[in-house]
């Protein structure tokens, strides 16, 4: 338990860890026959590695890192679309910084910028709207990316653009939703999961009932969790208790931030602006039904796809680079270190796969904290 | 991008657009209050909120805000969020991001 001293409240952490051990003994899970718990959110993946939680919990628990890093699951063809839009004359292309280094087939947005495209990293879609106000003779495109946590921000920005009739602004919508990939993973016969740690900040928007099917249809426990180390340990304990008691329920460990029914203003804005696409491609996972959003007819004038004639799926699908195991890592079939490219062709400075780009990607998290931990363990 | 950062609302800047000024780790940033505007805007002044990409998404208590900030600092996420805010300001100023930041 050498890392416990890093916690702000080591006593509390030790108490929870002891309780986790007791329930593990009761369930009888072992290193050879572990319980597999998926943390869905990339922020959780990052925190698990930062605090070494995977090493702190008993060997009878295995964390499977879920698809909850929006940058990591973005299909390469969409990055190519971004580059194409950004390179058009007169365009100011705005993006969150996280997406800058994701490799496309030809280049990343960072390379396109170096080649002269006017690409700006913004903090908020509202910054992009402000750029459109200040540059009426330019076409401003915002690269809408992320789960339910960021979807309200672009929806509310589009509502504002429509109210003010700002005609030189549009959103390139690549928003995705959390529940459909969970369903896809649960339906995959190769994927054996015993329970879930659910995303905290996504649930702050959606509320907790969008996960009811996990418990009701698939009989698996799911606990919505905060991202601090103690939150995560407590949530793991809550999942284990459900398993030990033969229950499968949606529980909310993060009730201090996550309201049961979510954020009404955000949900209304999402419903007003967006509708589900029939299906959307996830890097490493393939096409998943109703997992992506597109802009509704009423906001067509602010839809980059309509404005620039870029339809979803028009581009042929792009195969993963040679030797890249992103798909296997993404579905928990392979650990990042087992990928032949890990640390060789692929590092955070020269990412080959998207899982190495964002701090929330499993490979980048392994790389950043795995080395330091190995050194500490050798002491 | 996915983790919010706590800030304290210090004033209302544009009631029509539901915008307010937030103080985030000593940095001031205008944010949209729309998601938490289920009360009169004035009542939000002094409150702590969790801010995601420029939108106040939830009102939280001060203790929660401090704990969250500590955790975000440890994860390196607080610094990242502050850098992104500065980057956004530069983008608005017309300076190409990345230039003059070394
Ligand atoms: S190491 Fe790189 S190529 Fe291999 S799975 Fe991770 S991101 Fe993909």
């Amino acid at each position: 338990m050498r890392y416990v001293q890093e916690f702000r409240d080591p006593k509390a952490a030790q108490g929870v860890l002891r309780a986790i051990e007791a329930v593990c003994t009761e369930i009888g899970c072992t290193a050879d026959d572990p319980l597999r718990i998926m943390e869905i959110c990339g922020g959780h993946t990052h925190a698990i590695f930062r605090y070494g939680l995977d090493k702190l919990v008993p060997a009878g628990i295995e964390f499977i890192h879920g698809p909850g890093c929006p940058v990591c699951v973005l299909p390469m063809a969409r990055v190519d679309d971004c580059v194409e839009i950004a390179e058009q004359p007169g365009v100011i292309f705005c993006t969150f910084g996280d997406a800058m280094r994701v490799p496309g087939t030809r280049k990343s947005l960072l390379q396109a910028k170096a080649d002269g495209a006017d690409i700006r990293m913004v903090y908020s879609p509202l910054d992009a709207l402000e750029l459109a106000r200040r540059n009426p003779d330019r076409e401003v495109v915002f690269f809408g990316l992320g789960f339910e946590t960021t979807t309200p921000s672009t929806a509310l920005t589009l509502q504002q653009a429509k109210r003010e009739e700002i005609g030189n602004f549009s959103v390139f919508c690549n928003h995705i939703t959390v529940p459909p990939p969970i369903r896809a993973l649960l339906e995959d016969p190769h994927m054996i999961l015993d329970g879930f740690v659910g995303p905290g900040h996504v649930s702050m928007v959606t509320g907790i009932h969008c996960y009811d099917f996990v418990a009701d249809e698939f009989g698996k426990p799911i606990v919505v969790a905060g991202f601090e180390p103690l939150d995560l340990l407590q949530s793991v304990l809550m999942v284990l208790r459900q398993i030990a008691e033969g229950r499968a329920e949606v529980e909310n460990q993060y009730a201090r931030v996550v309201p049961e029914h979510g954020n009404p203003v955000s949900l209304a804005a999402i419903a007003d602006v967006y509708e589900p696409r029939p299906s959307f491609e996830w890097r490493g996972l393939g096409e998943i039904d109703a997992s992506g959003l597109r802009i509704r007819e009423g906001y067509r004038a602010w839809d980059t796809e309509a404005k620039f004639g870029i339809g979803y799926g028009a581009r042929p699908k792009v195969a993963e680079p040679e030797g890249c195991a992103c798909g296997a890592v993404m579905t928990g079939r392979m650990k990042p270190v087992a990928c032949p490219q890990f640390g060789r062709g692929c590092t955070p400075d020269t990412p080959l796969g998207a899982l190495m780009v964002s701090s929330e990607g499993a490979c980048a998290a392994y790389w950043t904290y795995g080395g330091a931990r190995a050194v500490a363990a050798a002491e | 991008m996915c983790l919010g950062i706590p800030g304290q609302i210090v004033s209302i800047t544009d009631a029509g657009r539901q915008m307010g000024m937030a103080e985030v780790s000593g940095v001031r940033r205008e944010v949209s209050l729309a998601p938490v505007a289920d009360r009169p805007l004035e009542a939000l002044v002094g409150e702590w909120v969790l801010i995601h990409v420029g939108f106040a998404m939830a009102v939280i208590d001060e203790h929660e805000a401090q704990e969250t900030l500590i955790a975000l600092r440890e994860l390196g996420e607080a610094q990242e969020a502050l850098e992104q805010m500065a980057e956004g300001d530069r983008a608005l100023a017309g300076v190409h991001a990345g230039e003059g930041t070394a």
Side-chain angles (χ1 to χ4, degrees):
Chain A
M1 287 198 195
R2 55 175 302 126
Y3 305 103
V4 170
Q5 63 248 31
E6 287 187 23
F7 291 172
R8 266 161 286 143
D9 191 351
K11 265 214 191 80
Q14 245 145 21
V16 179
L17 279 166
R18 266 198 293 275
I20 289 177
E21 268 160 37
V23 188
C24 276
T25 311
E26 187 187 332
I27 297 172
C29 52
T30 61
D32 295 329
D33 184 19
L35 284 176
R36 306 181 90 211
I37 298 177
M38 174 175 275
E39 89 279 3
I40 296 161
C41 162
H44 285 160
T45 304
H46 185 182
I48 285 170
F49 285 106
R50 164 67 182 81
Y51 296 103
L53 301 184
D54 54 328
K55 297 286 187 286
L56 273 179
V57 297
I61 297 174
E62 188 182 354
F63 284 109
I64 307 292
H65 316 300
C69 159
V71 171
C72 302
V73 296
L74 183 71
M76 231 186 211
R78 294 300 266 186
V79 180
D80 291 344
D81 287 337
C82 287
V83 170
E84 191 182 308
I85 297 164
E87 286 182 336
Q88 297 202 23
V91 165
I92 300 177
F93 191 90
C94 302
T95 175
F96 294 131
D98 314 45
M100 287 296 279
R101 291 186 308 123
V102 185
T105 9
R106 273 200 304 134
K107 45 176 116 167
S108 65
L109 283 168
L110 195 64
Q111 289 160 326
K113 182 179 166 61
D115 292 345
D118 190 349
I119 298 174
R120 316 237 185 139
M121 278 187 264
V122 294
Y123 168 64
S124 166
L126 288 172
D127 296 342
L129 188 62
E130 181 59 25
L131 274 170
R133 280 192 202 101
R134 293 187 193 177
N135 297 276
D137 53 331
R138 303 281 299 275
E139 191 59 44
V140 177
V141 174
F142 181 75
F143 181 21
L145 177 71
F147 289 104
E148 289 90 334
T149 333
T150 51
T151 312
S153 70
T154 56
L156 289 160
T157 303
L158 280 169
Q159 287 181 327
Q160 187 69 30
K162 188 173 183 174
R163 264 196 300 272
E164 289 182 48
E165 296 178 19
I166 301 178
N168 62 325
F169 175 78
S170 67
V171 168
F172 184 43
C173 178
N174 288 273
H175 287 299
I176 44 180
T177 52
V178 164
I182 303 182
R183 176 179 287 278
L185 289 168
L186 282 165
E187 283 172 350
D188 180 348
H190 301 295
M191 195 78 215
I192 298 151
L193 295 168
D194 298 293
F196 293 89
V197 171
H201 288 164
V202 160
S203 309
M204 172 179 74
V205 172
T206 62
I208 62 169
H209 290 297
C210 61
Y211 312 114
D212 284 351
F213 72 96
V214 176
D216 297 346
E217 285 179 48
F218 294 92
K220 306 289 181 193
I222 178 165
V223 176
V224 170
F227 63 91
E228 297 183 37
L230 258 183
D231 288 329
L232 282 161
L233 289 179
Q234 253 156 20
S235 302
V236 168
L237 178 60
M238 287 165 79
V239 170
L240 292 178
R241 286 218 167 108
Q242 287 199 38
I243 295 173
E245 293 163 17
R247 289 182 292 128
E249 291 165 18
V250 182
E251 290 181 310
N252 188 1
Q253 183 274 338
Y254 200 31
R256 61 190 198 273
V257 169
V258 173
E260 182 182 351
H261 297 289
N263 182 290
V265 173
S266 298
L267 289 172
I270 293 174
D272 176 44
V273 174
Y274 297 117
E275 63 188 2
R277 296 175 194 268
S279 83
F280 197 71
E281 186 193 349
W282 293 56
R283 215 175 156 172
L285 300 178
E287 291 279 339
I288 301 177
D289 287 350
S291 65
L293 299 176
R294 68 181 173 207
I295 295 173
R296 285 185 191 274
E297 193 58 40
Y299 288 86
R300 198 178 159 76
W302 294 271
D303 182 354
T304 304
E305 288 184 19
K307 249 186 184 172
F308 288 77
I310 291 181
Y312 168 69
R315 226 176 252 283
K317 283 205 176 37
V318 182
E320 292 296 328
E322 192 72 29
C324 157
C326 290
V329 172
M330 194 97 72
T331 47
R333 282 176 286 131
M334 188 189 272
K335 292 282 172 204
V337 278
C339 170
Q341 296 289 355
F342 183 83
R344 297 184 185 91
C346 188
T347 65
D349 288 332
T350 54
L352 192 63
L355 294 174
M356 201 50 110
V357 172
S358 158
S359 62
E360 296 174 1
C363 293
Y366 253 82
W367 179 260
T368 309
Y369 299 113
R373 259 215 319 276
V375 173
E379 279 171 15
Chain B
M1 178 169 100
C2 299
L3 295 178
I5 186 164
Q8 190 176 26
I9 304 301
V10 293
S11 64
I12 305 301
T13 50
D14 182 340
R17 286 186 189 153
Q18 299 183 307
M19 299 295 286
M21 188 60 73
E23 193 167 309
V24 184
S25 279
V27 174
R28 290 200 167 202
R29 167 88 203 186
E30 200 180 24
V31 300
S32 167
L33 302 172
V36 290
D38 54 355
R39 64 199 83 186
L41 286 183
E42 285 304 329
L44 288 166
V45 175
E47 293 283 358
W48 286 84
V49 292
L50 203 51
I51 300 165
H52 278 260
V53 298
F55 289 78
M57 297 300 302
V59 175
I60 53 179
D61 69 38
E62 183 170 356
H63 174 75
E64 169 69 19
Q66 299 308 340
E67 294 280 301
T68 302
L69 271 172
I70 293 170
L72 287 171
R73 279 194 202 110
E74 285 178 1
L75 286 170
E77 299 275 350
Q79 203 45 39
E80 202 170 292
L82 292 171
E83 276 163 21
Q84 283 163 358
M85 285 180 196
E87 197 74 70
D89 291 345
R90 279 195 290 274
L92 281 177
V95 181
H96 280 218
E99 283 165 25
T101 59

